[in-house]
Amino acid sequence: MTLRRLISALLAVPACTMLAAMPVQAAELDPVRVQLDWLPTGDKAFFYAGVAEGIYRDAGLDVTLAPGRGSPDAVTQVAAGNADIGAAGINALMEAYAEGGAPVKAVMSIYSKPPEAVFTYEGSGVTDLASTLGKRMAYSMTSAPWPGVLRQAGLDPDEVNMVNVSPASLAPMLAQGQVEMNLNWVTKQPDAEALMEAAGRKLKVLPLSEHGLEGYAYSLMASQRMIDSRPEVLARFITATREAIEFSIAHPDQAAAGLAKVVPESDPAILEGQLRASFPLIDNEISQTEGLGVFEPQRLATAWRWVAESDGYAIDAIDPAALIDSRFLDTAAQ
């Protein structure tokens, strides 16, 4: 076909048909910068699946994922306007409000169960909360909400020998038997299992959610500026993230493979294991009853009670409902 005939043929096609057939161009996408709380590990694979599988693109979004340095830093970056959306522990946002507030609101819960757990090994003598007394526990940065869990069970947290170490030392010290247990996240189970197996030990995990700890944890947060100026973009991001989570639960191998391309030095099997370990925190009887992403008021108040007790805040220091904006989740669900 000559160039003239090709042009004539294209002109004969209705413009709306041509636009429908054309892929969405990057220039037409709404940019969204997302601040993660930590490095790209398997428990965050659903965000990367949203990018790799085109879920965000199909929602008209150009999403950039930035690794972080902890939940407090993620909240700070969003509050400072360096990111539109953050993914962090709800406790960090509660602490920010208790310390004077932040122009940030939580817009979607991801973990409806807390991820904290006691990691131990067969033969350590640790089988339940009572058997932790007199044992050595390695922890990093903070032991919260561990003391409150023990006190709720009628046990004295001072009877546990706490050893403060760097995050990188938690698993090696346990594998070498230098401590009988450590305080960790269940999403770290695959990493710890591999290290323990190499040391000839078998890992045992006691999720604190099965020993009295309740409340929301990992959540999506948005800057007040994003909420005020781009509410429709925010609603689309929440919808797409829920779809990315559902895709990852249905296809964990694909989600992990997508992340492995971003972090080529990682082990895809470990990434998939970390992702799978996060599923009970996301897809459980709470989210199935209340809905994925929902902040139920009583459970939210319980989460704040744990934070207040662990960090020494007065229970009336904040109204936890004041840091939630559920309108966009409602819009996303329609």
Side-chain angles (χ1 to χ4, degrees):
M1 180 181 290
T2 65
L3 178 59
R4 178 176 295 181
R5 291 181 63 187
L6 176 59
I7 293 174
S8 298
L10 290 173
L11 290 175
V13 178
C16 60
T17 302
M18 291 177 61
L19 289 173
M22 293 173 62
V24 177
Q25 300 300 311
E28 299 172 353
L29 302 178
D30 291 302
V32 177
R33 180 175 175 81
V34 180
Q35 178 64 62
L36 301 179
D37 64 323
W38 203 244
L39 301 175
T41 47
D43 54 327
K44 297 162 185 50
F46 51 84
F47 287 117
Y48 292 88
V51 174
E53 300 297 326
I55 296 171
Y56 288 127
R57 183 192 62 239
D58 292 345
L61 305 172
D62 179 16
V63 172
T64 300
L65 301 170
R69 295 178 294 177
S71 287
D73 179 63
V75 173
T76 298
Q77 294 301 322
V78 175
N82 297 326
D84 304 304
I85 293 170
I90 192 74
N91 63 305
L93 185 59
M94 289 175 169
E95 290 162 358
Y97 269 69
E99 294 294 334
V104 180
K105 292 288 180 68
V107 294
M108 174 185 171
S109 69
I110 299 175
Y111 290 177
S112 50
K113 288 188 176 183
E116 289 88 355
V118 173
F119 283 17
T120 185
Y121 53 86
E122 289 190 358
S124 68
V126 177
T127 57
D128 55 15
L129 292 183
S131 61
T132 65
L133 304 184
K135 303 293 195 307
R136 295 163 297 178
M137 169 179 274
Y139 72 101
S140 177
M141 297 176 62
T142 175
S143 60
W146 170 245
V149 172
L150 287 181
R151 282 192 290 267
Q152 181 171 280
L155 303 172
D156 184 358
D158 290 338
E159 293 189 31
V160 178
N161 301 318
M162 305 297 292
V163 183
N164 195 348
V165 302
S166 68
S169 299
L170 288 173
M173 287 183 69
L174 186 64
Q176 295 163 15
Q178 294 176 294
V179 293
E180 288 83 22
M181 53 190 173
N182 68 37
L183 195 63
N184 221 317
W185 278 28
V186 293
T187 53
K188 296 295 184 182
Q189 181 172 340
D191 314 61
E193 280 179 336
L195 195 59
M196 297 289 281
E197 184 177 349
R201 300 182 188 273
K202 185 173 182 179
L203 181 71
K204 291 176 58 180
V205 177
L206 308 178
L208 295 189
S209 62
E210 298 177 3
H211 295 274
L213 183 61
E214 296 180 274
Y216 298 105
Y218 203 46
S219 303
L220 279 186
M221 305 166 190
S223 68
Q224 193 62 53
R225 179 178 180 180
M226 180 74 169
I227 290 171
D228 293 339
S229 63
R230 299 202 290 165
E232 192 269 340
V233 174
L234 176 55
R236 275 190 279 133
F237 180 83
I238 292 173
T239 299
T241 298
R242 290 173 69 174
E243 183 179 342
I245 290 172
E246 291 165 356
F247 171 87
S248 299
I249 291 174
H251 308 284
D253 53 339
Q254 284 183 244
L259 177 56
K261 293 179 181 178
V262 178
V263 193
E265 67 276 14
S266 62
D267 182 344
I270 292 292
L271 295 179
E272 183 177 343
Q274 293 169 336
L275 176 60
R276 287 181 179 273
S278 73
F279 291 166
L281 308 175
I282 302 170
D283 184 19
N284 51 56
E285 69 278 7
I286 297 169
S287 61
Q288 290 166 11
T289 300
E290 299 170 2
L292 175 60
V294 172
F295 288 104
E296 190 276 323
Q298 186 57 50
R299 193 173 303 281
L300 182 67
T302 298
W304 163 241
R305 178 175 62 79
W306 279 105
V307 172
E309 179 178 341
S310 299
D311 295 345
Y313 294 114
I315 194 65
D316 60 354
I318 67 169
D319 173 8
L323 53 85
I324 306 297
D325 194 330
S326 61
R327 294 174 299 164
F328 305 97
L329 184 64
D330 294 340
T331 301
Q334 293 176 357

